[in-house]
Structure formats: structure tokens, C-alpha cells
Amino acid sequence: AQSVTQLGSHVSVSEGALVLLRCNYSSSVPPYLFWYVQYPNQGLQLLLKYTTGATLVKGINGFEAEFKKSETSFHLTKPSAHMSDAAEYFCAVSVNNYKLTFGKGTLLTVNP
Amino acid sequence: DGGITQSPKYLFRKEGQNVTLSCEQNLNHDAMYWYRQDPGQGLRLIYYSQIVNDFQKGDIAEGYSVSREKKESFPLTVTSAQKNPTAFYLCASRATNQPQHFGDGTRLSIL
């Protein structure tokens, strides 16, 4: 069975600062990895995904994530935070690309 | 516009009543999913369906039921057997080898 751990339920950054949201996974087979973003009272929107190939994945809104097999990690980063990035972020893992297991989420606050 | 429509946005029911949440997609996706979201708990899978007339239990299926009579529709019934039904419910769909695409959710409150 697969699992996801998101370190830090709440991360606060200043506008213009680096955003780093941490995700570690557990999987017995090579995983598919995803980051989703959720704004209040809305559904989830896909930011980026890793399936195979290049380990540095670029997504929408300037976000990127790097798959590190040796560390079983898939951390999400953005060089410069914007006020509009304030939302909840979910990391998810799948071993068969049809059933996802989600982490508990990290709420990102951006301070002016 | 293609997408997933969940209705209603907010739903209130009395304790002991069954309630059905609607999920319709016009994306021609084969697979559909229902998740429950509680604060600080992430998303937990209730039921999923990979094809019409077939569905499987997820991690927290007790107290819920579904049907998949049409490709575009996957309604979820929250029965009176569900001990703590107040939550945010999310429906998703997926094309083969593609990520899941989510609706905007239904917030269910039991009075």
C-alpha cells in the first residue's frame, strides 16, 4: 500500500520569498506523483505530475517539483511567492494511475 | 464548456434522512470517483467506478452507496447509517492515463 506524508500542516511565507512545501511518499513500486491546489470552497486543480522520465517537473503558476527516489520525496517549490498562491496544497501518490492516495494537505499563507 | 458539475453546492438535511449528491461530467471520461474531505484529513476515497455498471468500494465506503447507470453520471447517496456525514464531498473523473479532474464540491451539513 502507498502513503503520503506532508510535513507541516501550515506554512507561512512573505510575498516574494521562496515557497517550499514538503512531501514524502511510501510505495513498493515506482509511483506516479501529483501536486494539487485547492482554493476555499472549490475543488482541486492539478499543479503538476510526475509519471516517468525527467525528475524535475514544471507545472502551472511557476511551481515545480523534483522527484528524488533515494529520498522518497517530491517537494514543491516556487522561487517567489505571490499573494494569489495562498491556498491549500495536496500531494498525492498512485501506483496504478487510477487510484490516488492523498496527503493531509499544507495550508500556505502569504504575508504582504 | 467541458467539466464536472456537482450539485447542489450546499445541502442541509435532518439527521436520519438519506441524501443524494449529484455528479455529472461531459468530458467523456470512463472513470469517476467520490472523495470525502474533512479539515486536516486530506481527501479519502469513498467509491470509484472505472466503467459503466461497475464500481468498487474505496477506503471509507460504510454508510454510502453509489450507482453508475450512465457514463456521465455517478450519484452518491449518504445513508442514515453514516455516523458523521457532515463534510465536503468531491467528485472527480479521469480519462485513461490522465490525472483526475475535480468538480467544485458539495458541502453537506446535517442538522
Side-chain angles (χ1 to χ4, degrees):
Chain A
Q2 64 269 24
S3 65
V4 173
T5 301
Q6 291 185 240
L7 298 174
S9 59
H10 188 191
V11 170
S12 182
V13 300
S14 298
E15 192 173 17
L18 172 72
V19 175
L20 170 61
L21 305 181
R22 299 177 188 274
C23 173
N24 288 89
Y25 69 90
S26 172
S27 174
S28 57
V29 299
Y32 299 91
L33 294 160
F34 307 82
W35 275 100
Y36 284 87
V37 61
Q38 183 181 37
Y39 298 98
N41 291 313
Q42 292 187 22
L44 275 66
Q45 180 183 4
L46 181 69
L47 278 178
L48 50 80
K49 62 179 180 180
Y50 169 79
T51 52
T52 58
T55 56
L56 182 62
V57 181
K58 294 188 184 298
I60 62 172
N61 301 339
F63 284 94
E64 63 181 36
E66 187 172 9
F67 170 60
K68 291 187 176 181
K69 184 179 178 180
S70 62
E71 299 177 8
T72 60
S73 69
F74 191 56
H75 301 332
L76 182 71
T77 61
K78 182 174 180 177
S80 177
H82 191 272
M83 296 296 289
S84 61
D85 294 327
E88 190 156 22
Y89 292 79
F90 292 93
C91 182
V93 63
S94 175
V95 297
N96 49 29
N97 205 21
Y98 71 81
K99 192 176 168 186
L100 290 174
T101 298
F102 285 87
K104 294 188 175 182
T106 297
L107 182 65
L108 175 66
T109 302
V110 182
N111 303 307
Chain B
D1 255 18
I4 300 175
T5 300
Q6 290 189 243
S7 60
K9 182 79 172 173
Y10 299 94
L11 190 54
F12 299 91
R13 280 296 181 268
K14 291 183 180 179
E15 197 167 345
Q17 287 183 336
N18 292 354
V19 60
T20 297
L21 283 60
S22 171
C23 178
E24 303 278 331
Q25 55 100 358
N26 60 4
L27 301 167
N28 200 35
H29 289 173
D30 286 318
M32 296 187 74
Y33 304 80
W34 273 106
Y35 293 91
R36 171 183 172 134
Q37 185 178 17
D38 296 282
Q41 294 298 313
L43 278 72
R44 292 180 290 169
L45 182 64
I46 304 172
Y47 269 98
Y48 63 104
S49 169
Q50 296 188 73
I51 198 168
V52 175
N53 293 321
D54 187 44
F55 49 83
Q56 288 80 39
K57 292 182 179 180
D59 300 318
I60 56 164
E62 185 175 352
Y64 300 97
S65 65
V66 294
S67 63
R68 186 87 188 275
E69 297 176 0
K70 298 185 296 183
K71 187 175 187 178
E72 59 270 25
S73 179
F74 192 40
L76 173 74
T77 297
V78 184
T79 74
S80 57
Q82 169 49 236
K83 296 283 188 281
N84 183 19
T86 295
F88 190 50
Y89 290 87
L90 286 161
C91 179
S93 69
R94 187 184 67 89
T96 303
N97 294 325
Q98 294 298 316
Q100 291 183 24
H101 180 86
F102 284 81
D104 280 341
T106 292
R107 189 167 298 280
L108 174 63
S109 298
I110 301 299
L111 305 176

